[in-house]
Amino acid sequence: MKNAKHLILPLLVASMLATATAQKTDTLQCFAAGFNFSAMLTSGERIADGGAKTDLVKNPFLSFGVDFIYKFRSNWMLGLEGDLYFGNDNLKHREERLPMLYANGAVIGGAGGDAGVEAYNRGLSLIATVGKIIPVSAKNPNSGIFLSLGAGFTQSQIIYSVQAEEAPQLDGDYALLYDHQQRGPVIAENIGYWFMSNNRAYFNFSLTFEMQQHFTRSTRDYVIDHYMGISGKDNNQYYTPTYALKLVWMIPFTGKKTQEYYYF
């Protein structure tokens, strides 16, 4: 399997989740909402049949999102996470990709000057998750090592923004020729630490290392990218691994506080 090495972390997390035992002590059961932030890196988009890396965007880029979580007393959790991610004018090899648009490093606008075109990656994902907290202290059984697996849907594309003067070659449907919009399934794995305070309702967070694997295809009928040698329908399937350090801040809405159960 060409991408077998990238399945090591998903299999490791799945194995640890499968062997995690239920808690013997009474723990918090609640619904919670959270806000997440992460800095993401990609090791390069690849054509899934073994093709060369395309390196569509520069690293790093950012992700923001919301989490909806239900935590059981067994410390198992179910979640639904929606994320938006974006970079800052980070399209790579733009002049090689689009030589018909660029002259001396600039896109020429309708008035004959530099149109000031910037190109950003934009994306979104919706992922359902299952996770487990493994406590490390009896004084706070709601905190500990955190593991989760998730699967869902993702979409990404390049957005062109004209800053100075009009650029008719990027107006309307013309931009769709160059935006590399892709959609497909995504799987995600997290390993890190989950903390829920015994006495502060709003001091709850997790800090994890997250790895995602995106399996996408182009949604456009016609794609132009000279760097990749594409002029027509893009029939490639792409595999894009991403890596992130992720912080989630959570607000629990129901359930008893742990100090109602424990006395030390």
Side-chain angles (χ1 to χ4, degrees):
M1 184 180 298
K2 296 183 182 297
N3 296 311
K5 66 179 181 179
H6 298 287
L7 298 178
I8 294 175
L9 183 59
L11 292 174
L12 176 62
V13 173
S15 175
M16 295 175 72
L17 284 172
T19 56
T21 57
Q23 297 306 112
K24 295 181 180 180
T25 53
D26 196 9
T27 51
L28 183 66
Q29 179 170 328
C30 67
F31 170 78
F35 302 93
N36 69 67
F37 168 81
S38 61
M40 302 181 70
L41 302 173
T42 175
S43 62
E45 188 177 50
R46 298 180 179 88
I47 297 174
D49 64 2
K53 293 166 61 174
T54 65
D55 291 325
L56 190 61
V57 297
K58 301 174 185 176
N59 288 319
F61 51 97
L62 303 178
S63 173
F64 294 93
V66 294
D67 298 75
F68 300 97
I69 304 159
Y70 192 82
K71 178 182 178 295
F72 297 91
R73 285 200 174 97
S74 61
N75 270 344
W76 283 95
M77 288 182 291
L78 298 177
L80 184 65
E81 174 184 332
D83 296 312
L84 298 174
Y85 48 90
F86 55 91
N88 181 22
D89 195 21
N90 61 339
L91 176 64
K92 294 186 72 173
H93 307 293
R94 63 189 70 191
E95 293 181 47
E96 295 91 340
R97 293 179 189 278
L98 308 171
M100 76 294 287
L101 298 184
Y102 282 85
N104 298 320
V107 176
I108 305 304
D114 183 353
V117 172
E118 296 182 347
Y120 310 86
N121 74 311
R122 294 289 184 268
L124 56 86
S125 63
L126 184 66
I127 300 175
T129 63
V130 58
K132 172 73 173 179
I133 299 169
I134 304 173
V136 295
S137 171
K139 292 186 177 182
N140 190 345
N142 296 295
S143 301
I145 297 170
F146 176 62
L147 306 165
S148 75
L149 289 173
F153 162 87
T154 186
Q155 175 178 303
S156 63
Q157 67 189 90
I158 302 298
I159 301 295
Y160 294 90
S161 175
V162 180
Q163 303 294 319
E165 58 184 66
E166 291 185 1
Q169 59 271 54
L170 287 170
D171 282 349
D173 290 344
Y174 289 115
L176 305 186
L177 298 172
Y178 321 115
D179 74 349
H180 288 274
Q181 187 182 87
Q182 299 173 10
R183 294 176 187 153
V186 57
I187 59 176
E189 309 84 41
N190 276 272
I191 182 168
Y193 192 80
W194 178 288
F195 178 82
M196 295 189 77
S197 174
N198 280 341
N199 48 34
R200 295 184 182 180
Y202 301 109
F203 191 59
N204 310 284
F205 66 89
S206 67
L207 182 64
T208 62
F209 171 72
E210 180 175 72
M211 190 169 86
Q212 294 186 357
Q213 299 83 41
H214 300 238
F215 302 90
T216 58
R217 288 186 179 274
S218 173
T219 65
R220 303 306 188 196
D221 293 327
Y222 204 98
V223 175
I224 296 176
D225 187 323
H226 288 208
Y227 180 75
M228 294 176 61
I230 300 173
S231 182
K233 180 67 177 176
D234 183 1
N235 293 312
N236 294 309
Q237 180 175 348
Y238 294 97
Y239 167 72
T240 309
T242 65
Y243 311 91
L245 187 64
K246 184 175 185 179
L247 177 66
V248 182
W249 175 61
M250 296 162 288
I251 305 172
F253 290 111
T254 61
K256 296 181 179 180
K257 296 182 182 297
T258 52
Q259 61 261 40
E260 295 182 35
Y261 293 108
Y262 300 99
Y263 302 90
F264 294 98

